[in-house]
Amino acid sequence: MRSKLPHIGTTIFTIMSKMAQEEGAINLSQGFPGFGADPELLDMVAKYTKAGYNQYAPMSGIPSLREKMAEKTLRCYGAKVNPETEVSIVSGATEAIFSSITAMIHPGDEAIILEPAYDSYEPAILLSGGIPIRVPLNSSDFSVDWERVKNSITFKTKLIVINSPHNPSGYVWTQDDLDQLAELVRERNIYVVSDEVYEHITFDGRPHLSLVGHEELRQKSFVCGSFGKTFHVTGWKLGYCIAPEKLTEEFRKIHQYVTFSSVTFLQYTLAEYLEKPERYESIPGFYQEKRDLFLTGLKDTGLEFQATQGSFFQTASYGHLSKIGDRELAEKMTKELKVACIPVSSFYHNQKDDKIIRFCFAKENSDLEEALVRLKNLGELFKK
Ligand SMILES: Cc1ncc(COP(=O)(O)O)c(C=O)c1O
């Protein structure tokens, strides 16, 4: 049998979570919350499943959830979208990204991804016969090197995949970033897949600038989001895609043969839950407290870092302390310190190792505090 993805193995997130479990380590590796969701949300799940909302939902999502998403998009980003023709509910941002890329990429098309990059973009490009063109972000702060992006565009470029707030670095795009992107795609046959799963997790008053709020970019963009990330229920695998009508038509042609539709009672639950905007507007404050708690302790570990701007990830570098590879360090930390993290080299196609590790701080404060106590002994690992 000839593999369609010969170079792709098990993701690092699965590997590190498994190791954390086997070693009894505090798992600050994979990006999922270590605390429960709002009990009100869970009560609604019970209500809607008992009420019989257990058969197939409409292919594009139930109307009331699409309408709520249109209201939320207007409220958060000042953008009016048509819930009927521009909003689709799908099985997680992973599906939204996969279906968007599949809808756009034909064999031989080039798609630009900015590295370090979340791992689901490249396989989707490859499966459609596309060619991933990897452009590195600036190594100092993970901002976009616009000159390099521009120089990577050819007559074959069809798509640019972007991600803000960024996983793993937490970099949040500025208005200038959006304007630079708009200039690049203007008058070119280039579209954008915008992974915005951390849209509600930004810090220090920094706004998330969605592409749907940019008059020009929204005409050419698939904006992909995740209810799982926003409401601490990653296991629900429910997400959405907002795109102009013509793009949505193509998107739905793929979606209907990937999953057809997504869990019905969860859609009803979310439609009701979204009635109160404070439920998503309180999220930045909630996570900022966790970020600040984590950073206060991280200062005593010897690691170097800049406070993350968004997402629930914090990166830290250790190159000034040791030359050990980041994968080896992550493994040692899990086995000896009992704290698991993710080596950032796994976000590069060539495993480029800049001696940076990523922590997820979406955990109970008590777990974060205990992890910080253990991390104070990090220096001991480097002596061995
Ligand atoms: C940047 C990024 N995009 C997409 C996803 C997947 O989101 P979902 O669980 O809704 O499929 C994740 C999950 O870790 C992520 O970090």
Side-chain angles (χ1 to χ4, degrees), residues 92-94 97 118 121 163 167 195 197-198 226 229 237:
T94 308
I97 292 161
Y118 184 63
Y121 313 146
N163 170 216
N167 178 8
D195 177 350
V197 299
Y198 301 106
S226 169
K229 294 284 184 186
K237 293 302 296 184

Side-chain angles (χ1 to χ4, degrees), residues 13 30-32 91-97 118-121 163 165-168 195-198 225-229 233-235 237-240 312-313 347 358:
F13 310 111
Q30 203 175 359
F32 64 88
S91 298
T94 308
E95 199 218 316
I97 292 161
Y118 184 63
D119 65 352
S120 80
Y121 313 146
N163 170 216
H166 181 243
N167 178 8
D195 177 350
E196 303 186 10
V197 299
Y198 301 106
S226 169
F227 297 109
K229 294 284 184 186
V233 285
T234 56
K237 293 302 296 184
L238 214 63
Y240 66 87
F312 43 49
F313 302 116
F347 289 78
R358 188 203 79 177

Side-chain angles (χ1 to χ4, degrees), residues 1 7-8 40 108 114 116 125 127 140 158 186 188 200 221 230 277 289 335 364:
M1 193 202 71
H7 305 297
I8 287 175
E40 272 192 278
L114 308 175
I125 296 164
L127 286 171
S140 55
K158 181 56 112 22
R186 193 175 298 143
R188 288 188 171 107
H200 293 296
S221 300
T230 300
E289 202 189 303
K335 292 187 174 161
E364 295 283 11

Side-chain angles (χ1 to χ4, degrees), residues 28-255:
L28 306 188
S29 64
Q30 203 175 359
F32 64 88
F35 38 81
D38 181 354
E40 272 192 278
L41 179 68
L42 305 180
D43 286 345
M44 287 176 200
V45 176
K47 180 173 89 180
Y48 285 109
T49 184
K50 281 183 189 154
Y53 293 93
N54 297 305
Q55 306 307 331
Y56 293 131
M59 183 271 281
S60 55
I62 63 165
S64 57
L65 180 53
R66 285 189 275 114
E67 275 154 28
K68 280 284 161 319
M69 284 308 295
E71 282 167 25
K72 176 174 161 307
T73 306
L74 185 60
R75 184 180 174 96
C76 295
Y77 309 120
K80 226 174 157 176
V81 294
N82 183 332
E84 189 58 39
T85 56
E86 297 183 300
V87 182
S88 309
I89 307 299
V90 296
S91 298
T94 308
E95 199 218 316
I97 292 161
F98 186 87
S99 296
S100 307
I101 292 175
T102 307
M104 296 312 290
I105 294 291
H106 290 261
D109 286 344
E110 292 180 356
I112 293 176
I113 43 187
L114 308 175
E115 279 197 331
Y118 184 63
D119 65 352
S120 80
Y121 313 146
E122 181 159 327
I125 296 164
L126 292 172
L127 286 171
S128 284
I131 303 160
I133 305 294
R134 301 120 180 161
V135 178
L137 294 167
N138 288 317
S139 53
S140 55
D141 61 354
F142 298 96
S143 58
V144 184
D145 182 340
W146 285 107
E147 210 40 44
R148 274 186 104 140
V149 179
K150 191 172 170 190
N151 292 337
S152 306
I153 290 177
T154 71
F155 69 95
K156 288 187 190 167
T157 310
K158 181 56 112 22
L159 202 63
I160 302 183
V161 184
I162 67 155
N163 170 216
S164 172
H166 181 243
N167 178 8
S169 74
Y171 180 81
V172 174
W173 277 39
T174 62
Q175 187 61 45
D176 183 57
D177 286 321
L178 267 68
D179 292 341
Q180 298 258 18
L181 178 64
E183 199 178 313
L184 286 190
V185 300
R186 193 175 298 143
E187 288 164 26
R188 288 188 171 107
N189 191 26
I190 300 178
Y191 294 83
V192 182
V193 171
S194 183
D195 177 350
E196 303 186 10
V197 299
Y198 301 106
E199 63 183 314
H200 293 296
I201 315 179
T202 56
F203 305 121
D204 307 313
R206 196 175 267 105
H208 166 64
L209 303 175
S210 174
L211 263 55
V212 73
H214 191 284
E215 210 29 66
E216 207 178 335
L217 284 172
R218 67 173 283 194
Q219 311 300 335
K220 302 184 103 180
S221 300
F222 297 85
V223 173
C224 304
S226 169
F227 297 109
K229 294 284 184 186
T230 300
F231 296 124
H232 323 317
V233 285
T234 56
W236 288 13
K237 293 302 296 184
L238 214 63
Y240 66 87
C241 178
I242 300 177
E245 184 168 349
K246 282 270 168 275
L247 299 188
T248 293
E249 273 172 21
E250 295 307 312
F251 175 91
R252 289 180 182 172
K253 286 182 196 171
I254 308 295
H255 160 67

Side-chain angles (χ1 to χ4, degrees), residues 16 19 318 323-336 343 345 353 357 381 384:
M16 292 312 300
M19 197 185 296
Y318 63 89
K323 295 289 163 249
I324 184 176
D326 66 352
R327 265 186 178 246
E328 196 185 339
L329 178 62
E331 203 174 310
K332 265 182 148 222
M333 277 175 58
T334 311
K335 292 187 174 161
E336 296 178 34
S345 63
D353 183 358
I357 49 179
L381 286 190
K384 289 182 192 168

